[in-house]
Amino acid sequence: MEHSQHWADAANAVDRADRLARTVAERSAWYPRFLLVFGVAVLIVTPLWGLLTSGTRSVVLNLAWVAFIVGITWYVRRQGVAARGTTRRYLWVIAAWAVIYAVVLTVGLALFAHNPAWWIPSGLAAAAPFFVGAYREQRR
Amino acid sequence: MTTGHPRHELDDVIHAPVRFSIMATLMAADKAAFSFVRDTVEVSDSVLSRQVATLETAGYVKSIKGYVGKRPRTWLALTPAGRAAFDAHLAALRAITAMATAPDSHQSP
């Protein structure tokens, strides 16, 4: 009888752990959405950096980008939970984006300013880490 | 007398139901807001505070204070020791449940 109770208690505890893990996973669904939105923003803004280099338009673009970063940071900080490994995986996405972005800006501004043939594919390249990240998160 | 029964591997700090639920929730997360854990585990603020204090004393959980806008917010996360302890505790629980399918090993110690 005592052993039956041990088994029942243990089985219940294991079930509870699995259920709580599922709840955390469900409530962490904001993360792929965040990556997708960030990717779309990068896809739009990256070409504009190279195509709209004149004074006023450049200032407006900078302000819009700062507003976007502030807004999305606020959104992330409001989330109640981040699934295990999210921070590590996000750092990989940001690292990949930073490398691509640095290459795109350095080469583009030096050699291809105002050239859509460079900047539009560059937007796709810079956004790719976010889209790949969102896709992989969705499949987890 | 010490025996090989897996129940002897259970961690007394984690075994209490509320603390087990807190640990299980945090195990699946990098970090979680105090309010998220409270709502998920379905306990009051005071009960959660008390149980988290016990887990912090054991070195299993850490609290991180921060702000969202002007609002203070507390985040909870497992320490590496907490993750290892929960892994071991869960392994013991799974071993106990596995014994249900091996009747010969049900002999009392």
Side-chain angles (χ1 to χ4, degrees), chain A residues 7 77 79-80 82 84-85 87, chain B residues 21 28 30 33 67 73 75 96 106:
Chain A
W7 298 327
R77 291 184 64 83
Q79 303 308 313
R84 187 176 181 184
T87 306
Chain B
S21 293
D30 273 352
Y67 285 88
R73 192 168 209 182
W75 294 87
I96 292 169
H106 294 168

Side-chain angles (χ1 to χ4, degrees), chain B residues 30-106:
Chain B
D30 273 352
K31 63 177 183 176
F34 184 93
S35 56
F36 174 83
V37 178
R38 177 198 63 205
D39 296 344
T40 303
V41 177
E42 298 178 328
V43 291
S44 65
D45 283 351
S46 59
V47 167
L48 181 57
S49 292
R50 214 164 39 243
Q51 301 302 338
V52 165
T54 302
L55 292 168
E56 281 185 309
T57 303
Y60 291 169
V61 168
K62 62 184 173 191
S63 296
I64 305 143
K65 307 281 185 189
Y67 285 88
V68 177
K70 290 182 179 177
R71 290 186 176 183
R73 192 168 209 182
T74 300
W75 294 87
L76 303 174
L78 288 190
T79 63
R83 289 200 182 277
F86 191 79
D87 269 338
H89 187 82
L90 203 57
L93 290 172
R94 291 191 197 283
I96 292 169
T97 58
M99 289 177 77
T101 56
D104 290 348
S105 60
H106 294 168

Side-chain angles (χ1 to χ4, degrees), chain A residues 12-80:
Chain A
N12 285 338
V14 171
D15 283 349
R16 189 154 22 108
D18 290 343
R19 204 168 55 244
L20 289 165
R22 279 198 301 275
T23 301
V24 169
E26 286 164 11
R27 289 289 301 276
S28 299
W30 61 270
Y31 178 60
R33 289 197 296 268
F34 156 79
L35 288 178
L36 197 60
V37 169
F38 210 137
V40 169
V42 168
L43 178 67
I44 294 167
V45 165
T46 305
L48 294 180
W49 288 133
L51 298 173
L52 305 178
T53 52
S54 71
T56 308
R57 284 180 294 186
S58 185
V59 169
V60 169
L61 187 60
N62 274 299
L63 288 175
W65 181 246
V66 169
F68 170 75
I69 294 296
V70 169
I72 205 156
T73 302
W74 177 79
Y75 169 77
V76 168
R77 291 184 64 83
R78 284 192 62 213
Q79 303 308 313

Side-chain angles (χ1 to χ4, degrees), chain A residues 3-4 11 18 24 49 51 55 59 71 73 80 89 97 101 114 130:
Chain A
H3 291 291
S4 308
D18 290 343
V24 169
W49 288 133
L51 298 173
V59 169
T73 302
R89 294 193 298 275
W97 169 66
Y101 199 61
H114 309 292
F130 294 97

